[in-house]
Amino acid sequence: MRCTPLLALVVAAAACARPPQAIAPPQPGMFGPSSQPVLLPPRFGEPGLPRTDGDWRAVGREAAALLSQYVAINTTNPPGNELKTAEWLKAVLAREGIGAQIFEPKPGKANLYARLAGDGSARPLILLNHMDVVLASPEYWKVDPFAGAVQDGYLWGRGALDMKGEAITQLMTLLTLKRAGVALKRDVIFLATADEEVGAGVGAGWMVEHHPELVQGAEFLLNEGGTIRAGPTGRIEYYGVGTTEKSPFWLEVTAHGTAGHGSRPTADNPVHRLVRALYRIAGYQTPLVVTPAVERYLRDLSAIEPDPVRRAWLADVRAALKDSAAVRALTGDLTYNALLRNTISITGLTGSDKTNVIPPVARAGLDVRLLPGQDPDAFLAELVRVVGDTAVAITPLGPSWPATESPTDTELFRSIVAAARERTPNALVTTPPLTGFTDSHYFRELGIVSYGLSPFPLNQTESRGVHGNDERVSLDDIAFGVHFVYDIVSRVVAK
C-alpha cells in the first residue's frame, strides 16, 4: 500500500470533499530557519471547548497533522538538533497567542518553555516531553522513518510513540485550554527538552539546574513512562501510571594486553581477555529481589489474570519465588524478569579497526539497571568478583542517580483514575515500575509529584516500536490520546 504524508491528506481533506490527491512529500528544509515562515497544518478544532465525539475527532485530526510534521523533523540523538523542533513548536504556539522561550545551552541544542497562566490559587502543573529520538535505520523499516507517512491506519515514524506522539497530546491539551478560554486555578507549563535519550546533556537536568525558578514551584508533572496495555482484540486490560523507575548504572569494561600483528597471536590478547570477562558476565544471574512497588504491581495484575496458577503467583510473588516452576515462568517474561532483579545487557564492543591488528585495549559497554534501594558500589564490587581478572577494569560510564518515587494519594492520580474509568468502567489502574528511566527524577528531587503517563492503548506488537523498527501509532489512538490527556489535565487545572 502506498504511504502518504499525513499533512498532504489533511490539507486535501480540508480543502474539498474530493478524495485526497497524491501530493509530494515535504522537501528537506520545509520548516526553514526561525526567521522564515513556518508551514503549519490547518486547524480543525473549533474555538470553544470540544463537546461531542465529532469535535474530539477533529482535534485528533489536527493532532495527527501536527505529529506528521513533528516526526519529519529529524532529531536523532546524537546530535539531536532540537533547536529546529523548538522553533517549530514555538511557531505552533505563537499561532494560538501563546508565547514561548527557547533556551540554547549549546549550538543546535534547545529547550522550549511555554506557560498558560492560571489565577495562582493552586500550584502549577508541568507537561514534560523530550524532542530528541533514537537512531532509526531506514533499511530495516517498511516506510521512511522521517516522512510522517500514513499507512494502514497508522502514522509511522521515529518518535511517533517515544515521545513526539505524547508531546502532541500535551500540546493539544494546552491549545484546547487556550482556545476554549478555560478559567484555570493552576498555571500549565509546557516544557520540551533535549537530550533525554542520551541520559544527560543539556535537557531537563540543565533546565532544573540553570532555571529552577521556572519549575520549582510546581505541584504536579506528567511525563512519559506509563502504559495502557491493550489485548489482541484492542480491549484495554489496564492503565499503568509510572510512579517510580529503575536507576541506570552504565559501565565500561576495559581489557589491556599486548598489541601486535594479527598473524602472530599473543597470549594476552586483550580481545580474548575481554571476551572471557563478558562470558562470565553474561552467565551471571543477579539475585531476585522483590521491591514494595513491584509487589504491589504484580498483586494488582493478579486481579485480571485468568490462569489460576499464574494468578496465585502474582498475588504473592514472594512465596512464588520459592517455587522453581514459578521462577522459570516469571523470569521468562522479559518485563517481570527486569522488575525482579538488577539487569545487565552487553550493548557495545570495541577492539581494533583493522582485522590484522591486535589492539592494546578492548572495551565493552554494559547497560546496567538497578532496582530501587540497591547500592551501586556493592553491585560493582560483585561484578568485579564475577569477572575475576585484575587486567580487566570495570568503571562507571555516564550518569547514575538513586531511584525516586511519587505517592498516589494525590488529586492528579485520582484524576487519572477518573478519566480512565470514564473510558473503561471498572478499569484496573495500577503503578508499574519502569524498567528504563525518564527525566522525571530531576523533578521528583524538587518535591514535584511526577507521573509517567501513556495516552495510547498499545498491544504487544505496537509497543515493540519504541526504540525498535517500524515505530507507529494508530490514528484512532491519537484521537483517543488527545481527549484522554485533556480530560486528566482539565480535572486538576480548571477552576
Side-chain angles (χ1 to χ4, degrees):
M1 179 176 179
R2 178 174 57 85
C3 300
T4 307
L6 180 60
L7 180 57
L9 287 176
V10 297
V11 170
C16 61
R18 298 191 309 271
Q21 304 299 306
I23 296 178
Q27 296 302 307
M30 66 171 287
F31 304 109
S34 58
S35 59
Q36 299 298 319
V38 176
L39 175 63
L40 298 177
R43 291 171 49 175
F44 291 91
E46 297 297 325
L49 184 65
R51 298 195 181 278
T52 68
D53 288 344
D55 292 341
W56 280 109
R57 283 195 296 273
V59 177
R61 288 195 298 275
E62 182 174 348
L66 288 167
L67 181 56
S68 178
Q69 282 197 347
Y70 197 1
V71 299
I73 308 173
N74 187 341
T75 52
T76 301
N77 201 0
N81 292 327
E82 295 92 349
L83 179 60
K84 197 169 187 179
T85 287
E87 290 168 344
W88 177 79
L89 286 169
K90 186 175 183 179
V92 175
L93 292 163
R95 183 170 69 173
E96 308 292 333
I98 301 173
Q101 296 173 262
I102 293 177
F103 301 88
E104 191 177 1
K106 293 182 179 179
K109 307 293 292 183
N111 302 300
L112 177 136
Y113 178 93
R115 192 168 188 137
L116 199 60
D119 67 8
S121 59
R123 290 158 56 197
L125 177 144
I126 300 172
L127 301 174
L128 176 66
N129 57 87
H130 62 85
M131 297 178 282
D132 60 325
V133 299
V134 297
L135 178 70
S137 300
E139 63 271 26
Y140 299 113
W141 283 57
K142 295 178 181 177
V143 303
D144 181 346
F146 297 103
V150 167
Q151 177 175 312
D152 302 328
Y154 285 84
L155 193 153
W156 301 61
R158 176 58 85 217
L161 295 173
D162 183 16
M163 73 167 295
K164 291 182 175 182
E166 184 164 351
I168 291 298
T169 68
Q170 295 178 352
L171 178 66
M172 289 307 304
T173 291
L174 198 71
L175 301 188
T176 302
L177 290 170
K178 177 68 163 57
R179 291 173 184 175
V182 176
L184 303 176
K185 64 181 180 181
R186 304 177 187 272
D187 291 2
V188 182
I189 297 168
F190 181 85
L191 180 57
T193 61
D195 281 342
E196 192 276 342
E197 294 292 3
V198 295
V202 291
W206 185 91
M207 288 294 295
V208 167
E209 180 181 356
H210 291 86
H211 293 282
E213 74 283 358
L214 297 179
V215 297
Q216 64 188 171
E219 182 175 7
F220 298 129
L221 178 144
L222 288 175
N223 187 20
E224 64 180 344
T227 184
I228 305 177
R229 192 172 82 178
T233 64
R235 184 182 66 85
I236 292 175
E237 297 177 348
Y238 71 77
Y239 294 78
V241 182
T243 58
T244 189
E245 51 199 42
K246 295 178 78 172
S247 300
F249 188 45
W250 295 344
L251 301 173
E252 183 175 71
V253 185
T254 306
H256 294 271
T258 302
H261 198 287
S263 66
R264 295 185 297 171
T266 56
D268 61 346
N269 183 325
V271 178
H272 294 182
R273 175 163 270 138
L274 179 66
V275 169
R276 288 193 295 269
L278 295 179
Y279 177 78
R280 296 183 188 116
I281 291 171
Y284 172 53
Q285 291 292 314
T286 56
L288 294 170
V289 177
V290 180
T291 64
V294 169
E295 188 171 23
R296 287 194 303 271
Y297 169 56
L298 296 182
R299 187 186 305 120
D300 286 347
L301 291 189
S302 70
I304 60 171
E305 172 56 55
D307 180 84
V309 174
R310 289 181 62 85
R311 184 164 59 247
W313 292 341
L314 296 174
D316 189 350
V317 69
R318 293 181 187 275
L321 293 184
K322 298 174 184 177
D323 178 344
S324 60
V327 170
R328 286 193 300 272
L330 292 172
T331 59
D333 181 293
L334 295 181
T335 299
Y336 293 165
N337 181 65
L339 290 175
L340 289 168
R341 61 179 10 132
N342 300 324
T343 56
I344 309 168
S345 291
I346 303 168
T347 54
L349 294 169
T350 306
S352 173
D353 59 357
K354 299 289 185 181
T355 302
N356 63 346
V357 173
I358 298 171
V361 63
R363 295 184 174 88
L366 304 182
D367 183 347
V368 173
R369 307 297 172 111
L370 300 179
L371 292 167
Q374 297 292 294
D375 181 354
D377 291 336
F379 180 88
L380 181 57
E382 176 63 11
L383 204 59
V384 169
R385 184 198 65 77
V386 168
V387 169
D389 187 341
T390 57
V392 174
I394 307 177
T395 54
L397 178 69
S400 183
W401 51 82
T404 55
E405 185 169 3
S406 292
T408 57
D409 185 17
T410 68
E411 181 184 0
L412 179 55
F413 194 88
R414 288 188 288 273
S415 296
I416 295 171
V417 173
R421 289 181 176 161
E422 185 173 295
R423 286 153 180 77
T424 312
N426 302 315
L428 171 62
V429 181
T430 183
T431 53
L434 190 63
T435 59
F437 67 84
T438 71
D439 283 335
S440 291
H441 67 97
Y442 294 116
F443 301 88
R444 289 188 181 122
E445 289 162 7
L446 296 177
I448 300 172
V449 173
S450 303
Y451 295 139
L453 182 76
S454 170
F456 308 127
L458 302 177
N459 61 37
Q460 195 171 62
T461 299
E462 292 165 335
S463 65
R464 282 198 287 265
V466 176
H467 288 211
N469 299 325
D470 296 329
E471 184 177 355
R472 60 197 183 274
V473 59
S474 77
L475 300 181
D476 287 343
D477 282 352
I478 294 173
F480 178 99
V482 294
H483 194 183
F484 182 54
V485 173
Y486 177 84
D487 274 2
I488 292 167
V489 173
S490 63
R491 289 169 189 268
V492 292
V493 304
K495 293 172 67 173

